[in-house]
């Protein structure tokens, strides 16, 4: 599956700090749980990538 392929899979996502000073992105779908921990600096880089993708998506939508 690629970034442009749609899917009917539903997932829940939670994002928050851990008690160890990490940022956790927690994905749950179809009974599968995927916890991903990041250093705060890595989380900020991911946030920047999400913002850049949102800007690019807006540009595509306006066409």
């Amino acid at each position: 599956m690629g970034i442009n392929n749609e899917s009917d899979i539903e997932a829940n996502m939670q994002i928050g700090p851990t008690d160890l000073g990490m940022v956790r992105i927690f994905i749950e779908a179809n009974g599968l749980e995927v916890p991903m921990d990041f250093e705060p600096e890595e989380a900020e880089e991911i946030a920047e990538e999400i913002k850049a993708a949102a800007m690019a998506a807006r540009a595509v939508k306006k066409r």
Side-chain angles (χ1 to χ4, degrees):
M1 171 171 282
I3 207 114
N4 283 315
N5 297 15
E6 292 188 25
S7 171
D8 289 336
I9 297 172
E10 292 184 21
N12 294 312
M13 180 173 69
Q14 297 177 7
I15 303 171
T18 70
D19 57 357
L20 298 176
M22 303 288 281
V23 175
R24 177 167 290 169
I25 299 175
F26 184 82
I27 308 289
E28 187 276 321
N30 295 333
L32 179 66
E33 296 179 347
V34 182
M36 296 176 283
D37 292 349
F38 302 93
E39 296 285 342
E41 296 77 16
E42 292 174 301
E44 289 172 340
E45 289 176 16
I46 292 167
E48 290 172 8
E49 290 179 29
I50 291 171
K51 285 183 177 184
M55 288 176 49
R58 282 189 186 100
V60 170
K61 191 174 180 180
K62 290 181 182 179
R63 289 184 190 174

